[in-house]
Amino acid sequence: MSDRTPAGGRPPYVRPTLVRHQAGLMNKMGPGRSQPPVTAIGGVAVEELVAAHGSPLFVYDEQVMRDRWTALHDALARRHDRVALAWSHKTCPLDAVCAIYHQQGALAEVVSGMEYRKARRAGVPIGRIVYNGPHKDEESLREALLGGARVHIDHHDELAACERIAAAEGIRPKVGIRLNLRTAAAPAWDRFGFGLESGQAWDAVRRLLAGGQLALDGLHCHLGTFVQDPRAYGEAARKVVAFANRLWRELGILVDCLDLGGGFASALRLRSQYLPSEESTPSFDDYAAQITDALGGLDRPPGPGPLLLLETGRALIDPAGSLVCTVVAHKQLPDGRAAVVVDAGVNLLFTAFWYQHRLAPAQPAAGPAQPTMVYGPLCMNIDVVGQNVMLPPLPLGARIVISPVGAYNLSQSMQFIQLRPAVVLVGPGGRHAPMRRREQLDDLVGPECRPPWLDG
C-alpha cells in the first residue's frame, strides 16, 4: 500500500496525461526540466504568504539581497583598494528595497529628476548620490551640483547647463563625463555619453577645461544590460584606463573615480539562449577579475588609486524576487498541448518578453510533467508568462512560483486591465510584511480629472 492510499480504500484517481509526439529540431537540452516544488520563500510557506497578502504576490527575500551585495563588494575589494557600489534605483525603486542596499553601504544611482527627488525624500544625502541619465532637469541638477552629488555629464547641452549653474552659484563643482565605447563582446550603446573612438569625449574634455567653471573628476561608462561576457568589461576598463592616462599625461588631470556602470547578467535565460542559465551566467569573481586586471594599466603618481565604482542592479536584486500566482483556468490547445491561465500577466512580468523564467509548482506534483503553456489573465494574445514549461497537472487554485523576477518588473509594471499586487519582504526569523500594499481602484483613478464641459 502506498503512502497515498487511504486506509482500507483504493488509491485516489489521477487523470492520465497524453502527450502528442511532435517532430522537430533536436536539442540536447531536451524540452526543458521540470522544477522541483517551491513550497517556501525565505523560510516562509507560500500558502502562508498568499493567505496574508493575496495572489498574485511579489515576494522579496531580504537575506538574498544582503548576501548578493556582500558577495559583489568582496569580489571587488579583494582586488582593488578603493571600491564602492551604487544601487541602481531604477532596477527596483521601492523605498524599503533601496534602504536595504543603503544600509549595506551602497550609494544611490539615479537617472532622472523623479528618481533624484525620491532618493532625497527617502533620506539619502546628496553627497551619496550618483546622478546619471540623458535628462536631468535644471532644478534637481542645481541641487545636485550644490550639494556635492557625483554628476556624470551626458552631452554638450548638459555641459553648458552645468556651467551656467556653476557661474550663477559661484561654485566650481567636480563632475564626471560619460563615455560611450565599443567592445567586441557586447553591442554598442552609443546614444549615451560622448563617443570615445570618434574623438567626441576628448573634445568634451577640452570644452570643459576651456569653460573654467567645472573640475573633471571622474569617467563613467555603461556597456548595456545583461552582458554575459565578462571580457567586455575588461576591454571597456582598458579603454577607460587609456583615456585616464591620456588626461594625466597631456593635461595633468588626475581623475579620482572610474565608474564602470552595471549590466551584469543574473541567472536568467534569454528566450534565444541555448545553454541553461547555470552554464552561461558568469560569477561576480569573473566580472571583478576582468575589471581590476585592466586597472593595473593606470599611469598615476604614487598614492591612493582611483575609486572603482559600479552601479549594479539586476545581478544584485533579481535572485531575491519571486512572483507567486494562482491557476484560474485550464485549456487544451488545438495542437494538443496543455495550457493554464494564471492570475498574473505580462503587465506585472514585463521581463517575460525577453527571458525564460523558472516556473515551479508550490505544492507536490500530482502526476507527470508535460509541456504546458502558461498564460496570464489579460485579454491579449501576447500575455504569455511561460512557453512549454514542464509542469505537472495543476488543479484550480494551485500556486506557481516564478523566479527570478526581482529586477525591473516592479519599475516597469502597469495597471493594464488589472491593478498591481502587493509586494512583500520576507525577513529573518520568518517575518514578512508589505513593502507596497495591494492597489485599490482609487489608486488608479485618483489622478484623473473630468473636463467640466463633459458634465453638460
Side-chain angles (χ1 to χ4, degrees), residues 357-376:
H357 296 92
R358 292 191 296 272
L359 279 72
Q363 51 279 314
Q370 60 178 313
T372 305
M373 295 294 293
V374 181
Y375 298 114

Side-chain angles (χ1 to χ4, degrees), residues 14-17 327 330 338 340 361 363-370 372 391-395 398:
V14 177
R15 181 175 59 88
T17 301
V327 174
H330 300 98
V340 295
Q363 51 279 314
Q370 60 178 313
T372 305
L391 288 172
L394 297 173

Side-chain angles (χ1 to χ4, degrees), residues 9 22 27 46 142 152 236 278 338 434:
Q22 293 179 318
N27 184 335
V46 169
R142 175 179 288 104
H152 292 143
E278 55 266 25

Side-chain angles (χ1 to χ4, degrees), residues 40-128:
I41 301 173
V44 181
V46 169
E47 287 301 328
E48 178 182 338
L49 292 169
V50 172
H53 308 286
S55 175
L57 180 67
F58 280 105
V59 183
Y60 281 76
D61 188 331
E62 178 183 351
Q63 193 60 53
V64 172
M65 295 164 62
R66 295 188 186 276
D67 290 347
R68 296 286 290 178
W69 191 95
T70 300
L72 177 55
H73 186 272
D74 289 354
L76 295 164
R78 287 194 299 268
R79 296 172 169 88
H80 189 73
D81 56 351
R82 294 181 63 203
V83 169
L85 298 181
W87 164 244
S88 168
H89 275 222
K90 69 179 180 295
T91 312
C92 187
L94 295 184
D95 283 351
V97 167
C98 297
I100 289 172
Y101 288 111
H102 298 326
Q103 288 173 5
Q104 293 294 120
L107 307 177
E109 190 257 345
V110 301
V111 294
S112 70
M114 182 274 285
E115 286 193 348
Y116 173 86
R117 293 181 182 92
K118 191 171 186 295
R120 291 289 295 129
R121 181 176 179 272
V124 178
I126 299 178
R128 294 188 62 79

Side-chain angles (χ1 to χ4, degrees), residues 280-298:
S280 58
T281 305
S283 69
F284 286 152
D285 281 308
D286 294 333
Y287 290 111
Q290 288 285 336
I291 292 170
T292 55
D293 285 353
L295 297 186
L298 278 167

Side-chain angles (χ1 to χ4, degrees), residues 283-431:
S283 69
F284 286 152
D285 281 308
D286 294 333
Y287 290 111
Q290 288 285 336
I291 292 170
T292 55
D293 285 353
L295 297 186
L298 278 167
D299 180 13
R300 296 171 66 91
L307 176 70
L308 171 60
L309 177 62
L310 290 178
E311 304 161 358
T312 314
R314 181 192 304 278
L316 293 181
I317 189 70
D318 220 9
S322 301
L323 176 59
V324 179
C325 56
T326 301
V327 174
V328 296
H330 300 98
K331 296 274 187 176
Q332 185 174 28
L333 302 182
D335 62 6
R337 284 179 299 166
V340 295
V341 180
V342 297
D343 59 357
V346 293
N347 62 318
L348 306 181
L349 196 64
F350 196 71
T351 52
F353 289 121
W354 296 281
Y355 302 106
Q356 302 179 58
H357 296 92
R358 292 191 296 272
L359 279 72
Q363 51 279 314
Q370 60 178 313
T372 305
M373 295 294 293
V374 181
Y375 298 114
L378 308 181
C379 194
M380 293 187 67
N381 203 45
I382 62 172
D383 190 20
V384 181
V385 174
Q387 296 185 15
N388 296 319
V389 182
M390 295 299 292
L391 288 172
L394 297 173
L396 291 178
R399 316 293 183 193
I400 295 176
V401 178
I402 307 172
S403 65
V405 303
Y408 291 104
N409 285 299
L410 291 185
S411 51
Q412 296 180 330
S413 64
M414 65 186 79
Q415 302 106 324
F416 178 70
I417 299 181
Q418 294 202 341
L419 297 173
R420 294 181 296 182
V423 185
V424 171
L425 181 68
V426 173
R431 294 177 294 179

